[in-house]
Amino acid sequence: MLEKNATPNWDNFVTKLEECDEKLSRAWSQINHLNAVINSPDLRSEYNNNVTKITKYYSELSQNEKLFLNFKKIKQSKEFKKLSSTRQKIINDELLSFKLGGIGLSENKKKIFKKIKVSLSKLSSKFEENILDATNNYYLNIIDKNDLSGLPDFLINDAKKRAVEKKKSGWIFTLDYPSYFPFMQYADNRKLRESLYHAYSTRASELGDKKFDNKKNINEILKLKHQLAKLLDYKNYSEVSLATKMASSSNEVINFLDKLAKKARPYAVKDMNDLKKHAHKFGIKRIEAWDVSYLSEKLKNEIFNFQDSEIKQFFPKKKVISGLFQLVHKLYGISIIKKKADTWHKDVEFYEIKDKVKKVIGHFYLDLFARENKRGGAWMDECISKYKFNDEISNPIAYLTCNFSSPSGNKDAYFTHDEVITLFHEFGHGLHHLLTDITDYSVSGIRGVEWDAVELPSQFMENFCWDWQVIKSMTEHEHTNKQMPKNLFDKLISAKNFQSGLQTLRQVEFALYDIKLHMKYSSNPNYYMNLLHKVRREISVVIPPKSNRFPNNFSHIFAGGYAAGYFSYKWAEVLSADVFSEFEKHNVLSPKMGAKFKNEILSRGGSRPMMKSFIAFLGRKPKIDSLLKHSGLS
Ligand code: ZN
């Protein structure tokens, strides 16, 4: 019906389409959520029966030529100029997304476009499968007990279990990250670290089992992405990726990363020197790639003699939650009140949010603890988004989900500092969704926000977990009821920035490699490795051995959605640190700053580009200085 509209306008077309979308999202978000948090055979089969229909529906929607033409008609009509800037943006966003989906191409080009898309999706799966198979294809079987020296008990126990399962004697270590990484951190036997490093860093390459070599896949993916970009009239794939991001051009991204690299490098050199000074104690003359995690861990233990468990005793759930609610009350004037509601589990709580004048503006479910049949990790999801159809405003509802360890017996639960950070992070996403003022459905809350900007509100909240004023009032020792001592908190801060020069430089290396790789296409099959060597020579402090085949298992860009987008991690950190530093200049608990942040950023959703919102808040474009300061790099 919507397709056949001869004279489409905002009310008879866009609103109707949004209404359909809202209805479906509302129904599906509940099933999707329950399937994730109380998975059962019934729910799973119901979910699986429907998920293909939903995927098919959205993919048909994005390929619907008639809907595209209707949006185009509105854009060209007299009405367009009279629409609010928010609604104009919605129409422009739609047109761009249709364009990137290949709509509007000639029939012939459309066929090629579809073929490329199908091939890319197959190649991505193959890429990921190869990594998985190569990972599973290897294990390290330790027979001599002395070779376990340095390893923590949990790792040894897991390795024993694995050996028993495989009917082998001794202990088995694998290339799965939870086995590999701690091995590299703790194993005293340098030769074994070297073998494991070699196996790990050559996975899915010609240096391992050739069956799983990803070289061809990488070259094919790069070629097809370049063809795709050309077909859509872009210079290269990086332009395609940036079309929907906050960063405006590849050069802007490169400048940003170069600056970060320049600033971080001296600190990385210093970090490396710290390790060197330490290395001789372990009989290491020249630090190799397989020594870095090991020496870091040793140095860290020497400097910061505290355990996670020591910190955990200071963060009871009731204090943390009330501290969080008080914080957002001070900043935004909102009140959060627990309400009775039916939920899917007895541990789940339901809250109401009221604004300054005591008007209810939204609700959220808080589901904090890990349990059987609940998906791992932490996330915020939309249950209902804010919108106004037919003059009636519907308030938003969010799901906030974490997987913290549940309290034992009648005691309150206690959180690690990492868990407090996770809670604040997800709560930040939640506020972005819940405190929106936008009633146009497609861009309210986190909807329509650029991909590289959506972590701004969440990472912004994390900053408060490193602020003594805020943290102090959230602590109360399990036995003594005393607040956390300041010197323990100071240790926590220095541990946070431990070797941040090396860490930052490593992230920048990956990001710079990714963006450059997608800016220029070369038919030389070794180009992707040559480029990596070049980037490493230019910026890195730890140069891995020649055999390192990092690209062959760089899933983020070859199998995930991060191609020419890996920089987003650092980008969002820069934004949130920059915003937070503005609070620090005044007072981190300043209601005036809170109101400004809420008005210019939090409440705006995707109604305008994030750069505009950012500049409205700070009066200028983002700068890297605050992130450097917060990471101890200035
Ligand atoms: Zn997040």
Side-chain angles (χ1 to χ4, degrees):
M1 189 191 80
L2 280 172
E3 297 169 2
K4 289 191 190 122
N5 196 333
T7 49
N9 60 34
W10 183 270
D11 289 335
N12 72 19
F13 175 67
V14 185
T15 305
K16 298 289 171 211
L17 197 61
E18 284 188 327
E19 275 177 358
C20 294
D21 192 12
E22 197 281 327
K23 256 188 209 148
L24 179 62
S25 298
R26 180 188 286 238
W28 185 244
S29 100
Q30 296 179 40
I31 299 165
N32 188 36
H33 182 71
L34 292 177
N35 185 53
V37 295
I38 45 161
N39 197 287
S40 67
D42 281 352
L43 251 172
R44 191 182 298 187
S45 86
E46 211 44 47
Y47 175 87
N48 288 335
N49 283 339
N50 288 292
V51 72
T52 24
K53 288 185 210 160
I54 302 272
T55 320
K56 196 167 163 248
Y57 167 76
Y58 280 114
S59 115
E60 277 171 13
L61 204 65
S62 69
Q63 293 297 317
N64 191 311
E65 198 86 25
K66 287 173 185 150
L67 295 180
F68 165 68
L69 288 175
N70 281 352
F71 276 109
K72 216 167 143 183
K73 271 186 197 165
I74 301 179
K75 167 105 199 212
Q76 287 157 353
S77 72
K78 278 187 192 139
E79 187 201 2
F80 186 76
K81 281 201 183 83
K82 289 181 206 146
L83 290 174
S84 66
S85 60
T86 299
R87 292 185 170 179
Q88 289 185 1
K89 179 173 179 281
I90 292 176
I91 288 172
N92 287 331
D93 285 356
E94 287 288 349
L95 287 171
L96 178 61
S97 121
F98 276 119
K99 182 189 172 193
L100 295 173
I103 301 286
L105 293 175
S106 69
E107 277 315 306
N108 187 29
K109 282 186 173 171
K110 206 181 270 176
K111 262 187 212 147
I112 306 175
F113 182 88
K114 276 192 182 147
K115 237 173 110 180
I116 294 179
K117 277 284 194 190
V118 173
S119 304
L120 275 174
S121 130
K122 280 185 192 155
L123 286 163
S124 294
S125 312
K126 191 66 205 154
F127 184 92
E128 197 65 55
E129 275 169 32
N130 279 344
I131 298 174
L132 198 66
D133 290 345
T135 304
N136 292 335
N137 196 37
Y138 174 94
Y139 61 82
L140 171 70
N141 192 358
I142 290 183
I143 306 293
D144 184 351
K145 209 175 170 192
N146 293 325
D147 290 337
L148 300 173
S149 164
L151 298 177
D153 287 344
F154 78 91
L155 204 62
I156 295 177
N157 294 339
D158 283 353
K160 185 82 221 164
K161 249 189 247 161
R162 243 177 257 125
V164 171
E165 274 163 26
K166 282 197 192 294
K167 299 196 169 55
K168 297 268 179 192
S169 57
W171 300 265
I172 283 186
F173 297 89
T174 68
L175 299 181
D176 279 320
Y177 203 72
S179 168
Y180 169 76
F181 187 67
F183 191 95
M184 298 308 287
Q185 276 180 306
Y186 298 110
D188 292 329
N189 187 322
R190 196 178 183 210
K191 268 262 151 303
L192 288 177
R193 285 204 312 271
E194 183 181 349
S195 327
L196 208 64
Y197 173 86
H198 183 77
Y200 188 81
S201 62
T202 58
R203 278 176 308 156
S205 79
E206 84 283 9
L207 301 175
D209 192 327
K210 287 195 176 54
K211 288 209 283 293
F212 310 128
D213 186 3
N214 264 335
K215 182 173 184 173
K216 264 196 191 143
N217 294 329
I218 292 176
N219 280 309
E220 199 55 25
I221 289 171
L222 290 172
K223 188 176 90 189
L224 290 176
K225 286 206 162 144
H226 186 66
Q227 284 176 2
L228 196 83
K230 287 284 174 200
L231 215 52
L232 294 173
D233 235 6
Y234 289 96
K235 269 210 300 260
N236 50 49
Y237 189 77
S238 130
E239 284 193 356
V240 177
S241 158
L242 295 180
T244 48
K245 292 193 172 70
M246 180 180 170
S248 59
S249 70
S250 309
N251 279 333
E252 184 179 15
V253 174
I254 290 199
N255 281 337
F256 156 70
L257 293 170
D258 272 344
K259 255 191 228 160
L260 212 51
K262 246 188 218 110
K263 295 281 184 185
R265 206 166 187 284
Y267 290 89
V269 171
K270 187 192 161 289
D271 290 345
M272 198 58 185
N273 285 337
D274 289 345
L275 293 184
K276 276 181 193 157
K277 276 181 220 150
H278 216 60
H280 70 273
K281 291 186 216 160
F282 304 92
I284 297 171
K285 282 200 189 86
R286 208 184 104 108
I287 298 180
E288 301 287 355
W290 45 90
D291 300 320
V292 177
S293 305
Y294 178 75
L295 291 173
S296 286
E297 189 56 34
K298 290 276 180 275
L299 188 58
K300 193 174 170 184
N301 272 338
E302 201 177 291
I303 307 178
F304 317 110
N305 51 344
F306 69 89
Q307 303 289 321
D308 270 355
S309 51
E310 201 180 324
I311 305 283
K312 192 173 165 161
Q313 296 175 316
F314 282 103
F315 288 115
K317 181 196 153 201
K318 64 170 195 306
K319 286 292 264 190
V320 173
I321 298 285
S322 72
L324 173 60
F325 290 176
Q326 276 166 33
L327 170 68
V328 295
H329 176 72
K330 273 183 198 144
L331 291 175
Y332 311 123
I334 54 173
S335 314
I336 302 178
I337 309 114
K338 196 166 172 177
K339 288 274 156 180
K340 275 211 168 100
D342 285 337
T343 64
W344 49 94
H345 190 274
K346 64 171 179 43
D347 288 349
V348 179
E349 296 166 352
F350 185 67
Y351 290 94
E352 181 179 88
I353 307 182
K354 285 181 172 171
D355 66 6
K356 273 186 190 141
V357 293
K358 302 284 171 259
K359 200 179 93 195
V360 177
I361 53 169
H363 293 89
F364 62 92
Y365 293 93
L366 187 63
D367 185 354
L368 288 177
F369 301 115
R371 57 175 177 267
E372 231 181 302
N373 303 320
K374 180 175 168 183
R375 193 204 296 151
W379 68 91
M380 189 289 292
D381 212 349
E382 303 156 324
C383 171
I384 291 174
S385 295
K386 186 165 181 158
Y387 62 82
K388 184 169 131 189
F389 299 132
N390 309 318
D391 293 327
E392 211 180 298
I393 291 188
S394 166
N395 276 332
I397 303 181
Y399 301 117
L400 295 172
T401 314
C402 299
N403 268 284
F404 304 154
S405 42
S406 47
S408 46
N410 289 330
K411 265 186 10 189
D412 198 5
Y414 282 77
F415 299 151
T416 63
H417 187 248
D418 272 345
E419 288 174 334
V420 175
I421 293 174
T422 303
L423 175 67
F424 273 55
H425 180 104
E426 299 310 332
F427 203 77
H429 283 307
L431 290 177
H432 202 185
H433 174 65
L434 295 164
L435 298 189
T436 195
D437 282 337
I438 305 300
T439 52
D440 280 318
Y441 178 73
S442 307
V443 290
S444 91
I446 58 170
R447 305 177 69 87
V449 176
E450 300 98 316
W451 202 60
D452 46 348
V454 85
E455 295 295 330
L456 194 175
S458 52
Q459 293 187 350
F460 167 74
M461 283 300 290
E462 287 186 28
N463 287 294
F464 290 98
C465 303
W466 300 105
D467 187 273
W468 179 234
Q469 214 187 138
V470 174
I471 283 298
K472 166 171 80 174
S473 62
M474 283 167 40
T475 59
E476 184 180 287
H477 193 273
E478 196 176 350
H479 305 305
T480 63
N481 290 348
K482 281 195 174 135
Q483 279 189 348
M484 179 185 278
K486 174 78 164 49
N487 67 346
L488 185 59
F489 178 74
D490 289 341
K491 279 190 202 172
L492 206 60
I493 295 260
S494 3
K496 171 198 176 211
N497 291 334
F498 176 66
Q499 302 231 303
S500 59
L502 279 177
Q503 282 168 33
T504 302
L505 213 53
R506 197 176 135 84
Q507 287 297 310
V508 172
E509 174 191 311
F510 297 163
L512 210 51
Y513 172 63
D514 162 50
I515 196 87
K516 287 190 172 175
L517 187 64
H518 291 98
M519 274 172 75
K520 190 189 134 196
Y521 174 69
S522 163
S523 54
N524 173 358
N526 297 318
Y527 173 69
Y528 73 91
M529 270 317 295
N530 296 342
L531 179 69
L532 180 65
H533 292 316
K534 188 165 172 277
V535 169
R536 279 179 170 162
R537 272 198 308 273
E538 279 165 15
I539 69 160
S540 305
V541 169
V542 188
I543 307 276
K546 273 249 158 356
S547 65
N548 177 297
R549 293 288 181 274
F550 169 70
N552 294 48
N553 48 68
F554 197 2
S555 295
H556 277 88
I557 68 167
F558 294 117
Y562 279 85
Y566 196 82
F567 72 90
S568 304
Y569 287 112
K570 280 285 155 215
W571 184 266
E573 277 179 49
V574 163
L575 301 179
S576 59
D578 215 355
V579 166
F580 191 71
S581 72
E582 198 61 16
F583 277 75
E584 284 175 320
K585 264 189 221 159
H586 300 81
N587 167 0
V588 294
L589 299 176
S590 154
K592 203 176 131 214
M593 292 309 295
K596 196 173 176 196
F597 180 62
K598 179 174 167 290
N599 291 341
E600 299 298 358
I601 294 183
L602 269 188
S603 67
R604 297 287 175 149
S607 68
R608 63 183 183 189
M610 184 58 95
M611 192 57 95
K612 262 198 178 158
S613 299
F614 188 92
I615 292 172
F617 175 76
L618 253 140
R620 59 160 173 81
K621 285 185 150 195
K623 280 191 202 160
I624 59 170
D625 309 55
S626 308
L627 176 66
L628 294 172
K629 199 179 110 211
H630 290 154
S631 321
L633 301 178
S634 67

